[in-house]
Amino acid sequence: MSVPSSAVGTAQIGVTGLAVMGRNLARNFARHGYTVALHNRTFARTQSLVAEHAADGTFVPSESMADFVASLARPRKVVIMVQAGAATDAVIDELVPLLEEGDIVVDAGNAHFPDTIRREAALRERGLHFVGTGVSGGEEGALNGPSIMPGGTAESYASLGPILEAISAKVDGVPCCTHVGPDGAGHFVKMVHNGIEYADMQLIAEAYDLLRHGLGASAPEIGEVFAAWNTGDLESYLIEVTAEVLAHTDAATGAPFVDVVADAAEQKGTGRWTVQNGLDLGVPITGIAEATFARALSGSAPQRAAARGVLPADTLEWNVPEPGAFIEDVRLALYASKVVAYSQGFDQIAAASAQYGWDIDRGAMARIWRGGCIIRAKFLDRITQAYERDANLPLLLADPYFTAAVANGVAAWRRIVAAAAVHGVPTPAFSSSLAYYDGVRADRLPANLIQAQRDFFGAHTYRRTDRDGTFHTDWSGDRAEQTW
Ligand code: ATR
């Protein structure tokens, strides 16, 4: 089958890769009035999309990549929605020889940002634009409005941006899509979004675990607590989902659903990438790292089997005389920990932006995460406002709004982390967030001792508090100080 001549050059956007995400993005474009060229390696998927969803708008299906390209208006805009990695490279290799200067290739998959940097450079050499684009919101978001994070050139955004903004989620009429920055910036920001999502989910899970142990509460009872929290500062999609999941009853057993779900959390790898990059850039993203490691620990079956019932606990018995006060303490600890996790994630974006020359507007990132994506929340408005007050804010936690918000909860946060420790409830994200908070606000850290040790065994030198310069003490000799 080839494209009818009347359809040549008519499609405003094309999608290749019509599995669930690609299919829903294509339908979303069509519903917004765009003529959408369709292609998939296996033509049956293309045919079924047209057969089932013709009512969404105008589709131009093609069996061959050449026909697909021919059906697009210039400059052509092709969205690739296949698995990250080899499949993306295979599609690019097939597509690129058919394109002409100025055409725009959009990778909307979950690519690792170094791959996006590589592909952008390769396509730029051929006069093509390559736009690595983060898309968040899953299947539902792809169809009804995702959060979209496009990288690539400003020039490509000028023609592509309006189409992406049209299909994105809207909050207060503002699209959840903006140009993030050059080459890999879009996929980078999507990666950090996912890392923050890991941290947020871990914090919520720790809050649930504390309520379960501290109050002996059932899953549905805790679900009610989360539903109540969703009406305040914590209002977010993830809290809403938590309340719903906790309220759900397993049809097979009649037990609370979460009680029959195995306690081993999986991951697809974006959390791992985020942590690896945090290490590369030297940014302490402890909340995201603890969340990623907590998933790994949950899945460490042999280690858990070897430890269960064997490692001494020596914990105190829970005795919570005022459940209402305890619930409020957990809420405040959750909120404060969440502020830390987001602050760390935005630090990582700032560090990467400086390192890779991306010039990312952090306030705009918070703005496009307010809708469509998994971490969507009212809270993100506060982050946007903080960066509007100071675009170069060195630490989100130090913005007056967040400083005040944490001040209100810091005593509760300490009570909860202390209670978790003496009662033996693992709270890696709550605890590490508090440790980060105390570390970053400290007048003086014990790093003085570490640097002195390094000088002792490795002559790594040190600086002094009382005068400029670099020094070394002759530890193995007369211990006289030398200036280096
Ligand atoms: P699902 O999301 O349903 O699990 P998938 O196996 O992840 O689907 O595949 C996602 C998309 O990538 C599909 O459109 C797939 O094409 P097919 O329908 O022909 O399987 C596409 N895809 C995967 N590898 C590809 C490749 N090497 N070249 C072109 N398209 C590819």
Side-chain angles (χ1 to χ4, degrees):
M1 189 186 117
S2 62
V3 190
S5 56
S6 60
V8 168
T10 59
Q12 291 141 305
I13 188 120
V15 181
T16 179
L18 300 174
V20 182
M21 287 293 288
R23 186 182 174 94
N24 283 355
L25 275 182
R27 294 182 60 198
N28 192 350
F29 285 124
R31 286 178 176 186
H32 282 85
Y34 296 104
T35 299
V36 187
L38 299 177
H39 174 266
N40 191 67
R41 178 178 60 179
T42 311
F43 189 45
R45 273 204 214 251
T46 312
Q47 291 172 305
S48 82
L49 168 49
V50 177
E52 289 163 34
H53 300 292
D56 282 328
T58 310
F59 294 116
V60 185
S62 294
E63 184 160 11
S64 74
M65 190 68 99
D67 286 345
F68 170 68
V69 169
S71 71
L72 285 156
R74 295 201 59 200
R76 301 182 183 89
K77 299 172 193 71
V78 180
V79 177
I80 300 174
M81 198 50 163
V82 301
Q83 295 101 325
T88 303
D89 280 319
V91 174
I92 291 172
D93 288 347
E94 193 186 350
L95 180 64
V96 160
L98 303 168
L99 298 177
E100 291 168 275
E101 202 167 325
D103 287 349
I104 302 170
V105 178
V106 182
D107 175 14
N110 258 330
H112 194 196
F113 77 94
D115 288 338
T116 305
I117 293 175
R118 166 178 63 79
R119 291 172 180 142
E120 197 275 337
L123 266 65
R124 186 158 20 99
E125 287 223 330
R126 308 182 65 143
L128 302 174
H129 295 285
F130 184 77
V131 181
T133 301
V135 178
S136 177
E139 306 173 24
E140 206 272 335
L143 182 62
N144 296 317
S147 173
I148 309 181
M149 295 151 251
T153 58
E155 188 191 341
S156 62
Y157 194 79
S159 61
L160 178 71
I163 305 179
L164 297 182
E165 289 180 15
I167 67 151
S168 73
K170 312 284 182 305
V171 175
D172 305 330
V174 179
C176 293
C177 172
T178 193
H179 182 226
V180 176
D183 57 75
H187 276 139
F188 180 87
V189 162
K190 170 69 195 320
M191 178 190 81
V192 176
H193 163 284
N194 284 24
I196 291 174
E197 177 184 317
Y198 275 50
D200 210 337
M201 291 170 72
Q202 175 65 24
L203 290 168
I204 289 172
E206 291 178 16
Y208 148 77
D209 211 22
L210 283 161
L211 296 175
R212 205 166 61 94
H213 287 287
L215 303 178
S218 68
E221 287 166 346
I222 300 170
E224 285 172 26
V225 172
F226 276 93
W229 287 353
N230 201 37
T231 61
D233 288 338
L234 284 168
E235 181 187 331
S236 61
Y237 175 69
L238 279 172
I239 295 282
E240 180 192 325
V241 165
T242 305
E244 285 207 30
V245 168
L246 289 170
H248 184 59
T249 302
D250 175 51
T253 59
F257 171 71
V258 288
D259 292 349
V260 299
V261 176
D263 62 345
E266 296 171 6
Q267 58 163 312
K268 279 195 179 163
T270 39
R272 187 178 65 239
W273 288 344
T274 314
V275 178
Q276 285 169 338
N277 175 262
L279 292 171
D280 287 345
L281 296 177
V283 182
I285 44 165
T286 57
I288 299 171
E290 289 294 354
T292 308
F293 286 130
R295 289 195 192 188
L297 189 151
S298 77
S300 300
Q303 288 77 12
R304 291 181 65 189
R308 190 176 289 121
V310 174
L311 298 187
D314 206 1
T315 52
L316 299 185
E317 286 292 314
W318 280 101
N319 173 24
V320 177
E322 289 182 59
F326 180 74
I327 291 170
E328 180 60 4
D329 273 5
V330 173
R331 188 186 73 83
L332 290 165
L334 172 56
Y335 189 73
S337 303
K338 178 171 161 146
V339 174
V340 167
Y342 279 67
S343 182
Q344 294 177 337
F346 279 87
D347 264 358
Q348 184 174 11
I349 292 174
S353 182
Q355 172 83 13
Y356 304 112
W358 285 335
D359 196 23
I360 297 176
D361 175 348
R362 286 171 289 171
M365 297 308 103
R367 191 174 67 239
I368 65 171
W369 291 347
R370 292 182 309 162
C373 64
I374 305 297
I375 63 171
R376 61 185 183 258
K378 225 169 69 175
F379 170 78
L380 289 159
D381 270 331
R382 302 294 190 181
I383 298 181
T384 304
Q385 288 157 9
Y387 287 114
E388 278 168 2
R389 280 190 282 274
D390 178 1
N392 297 314
L393 188 64
L395 180 74
L396 189 58
L397 269 168
D399 169 77
Y401 173 82
F402 289 110
T403 305
V406 173
N408 182 41
V410 69
W413 196 8
R414 295 191 191 288
R415 281 194 294 273
I416 288 298
V417 169
V422 296
H423 295 96
V425 177
T427 53
F430 272 39
S431 308
S432 70
S433 297
L434 181 56
Y436 172 89
Y437 180 80
D438 282 329
V440 78
R441 70 174 192 84
D443 278 340
R444 203 160 151 72
L445 290 167
N448 50 349
L449 176 57
I450 292 169
Q451 197 57 23
Q453 291 165 332
R454 296 182 74 237
D455 189 60
F456 186 99
F457 61 69
H460 291 298
T461 74
Y462 52 89
R463 284 175 290 115
R464 298 182 55 99
T465 57
D466 54 357
R467 58 185 192 273
D468 289 340
T470 303
F471 304 92
H472 168 62
T473 290
D474 180 14
W475 296 101
S476 54
D478 62 1
R479 305 209 162 181
E481 186 169 82
Q482 303 157 0
T483 303
W484 279 38

